[in-house]
Amino acid sequence: MQTITLGAVDITRVVEWHAPFVPAPVMFPDADPRMWRDNASWLAPDFWDPRTDQVIGNAQTWVLRSEGRTILVDTGLGNDKDRPGTPPWSGLRTDFLDRLLAAGVRPEDVDVVVNTHLHADHVGWNTRLVDGEWVPTFPNATYVIARADFDYWNPANGHPKRGALAGADAEGDHRLVFEDSVAPVHRAGRTVLWEGGYRIDGQLSLEPAPGHTPGSCVLRLESGSERALFIGDLVHSPLQIVEPDCDTCLSEDQAQATRSRRRILERAADTKALVFPAHLAGHGAAEVRREGGKFAISGWAPFERTG
Ligand SMILES: [Zn+2]
């Protein structure tokens, strides 16, 4: 199953990319290696490869159908992008748009695109290359972006110097991401830059959850008695659900990211909201509960496993 229904909202998973993407000690420099081994029985094989110590994840888009409209949550890596700082993401030629079509979504059908933040792996399909120009992939969509991220990553404001996997080229990648995947949709007049909060419709809304980036946000689904939280990169590996104080080398502000993660996971546990981390492989989403001062995973969503 790649579509589930929560209340009156259909949620479809469209996977763009699935791979081991970075050694665990690089991504989680502060995590005790024992944490991985102690949880190996369920982290492997979907989320961690114990032989190579690599973190495994997806780039994927969540397609929501709500109140007659089609909403995309994050747009993955995109094709033809130049990413010298992260070569595995450079010059991709995936069939993502065909997969989206197989899920019943033509580009012109998309009404709203939500970028949970403006990293390369969340904005890629915002645009595509047509005759040498980056144009909005979803010509009729409103692209909903937190102003805090738009301003932070905008090269015109003087560019941040850190916060990526690969030292020297990281700064260049951030500039390229903005120029090829964010600026073109803004120039086309298709963006809404929001502050404080943003309501998409009667069942879906956005709220800030800063730290990973200044404008990182969470999409909240409340429909009937059903709840879900699309939490972007508050969690990269489900290890961070059971060890919520583990943050990654990718955060702009690790302490703030950890506070946001704890706050949102507490709410998920207390309101029985299904948790959708952006990159979760396996079954794609998790039910969580409080356990001691941490959290435990009580179940997985019924999406087909990726792997
Ligand atoms: Zn990400």
Side-chain angles (χ1 to χ4, degrees), residues 117 121-122 233 236 279:
H117 59 290
D121 50 329
H122 297 259
D233 282 358
H236 281 88
H279 301 301

Side-chain angles (χ1 to χ4, degrees), residues 115-126:
N115 296 133
T116 60
H117 59 290
L118 297 185
H119 276 163
D121 50 329
H122 297 259
V123 300
W125 279 105
N126 279 7

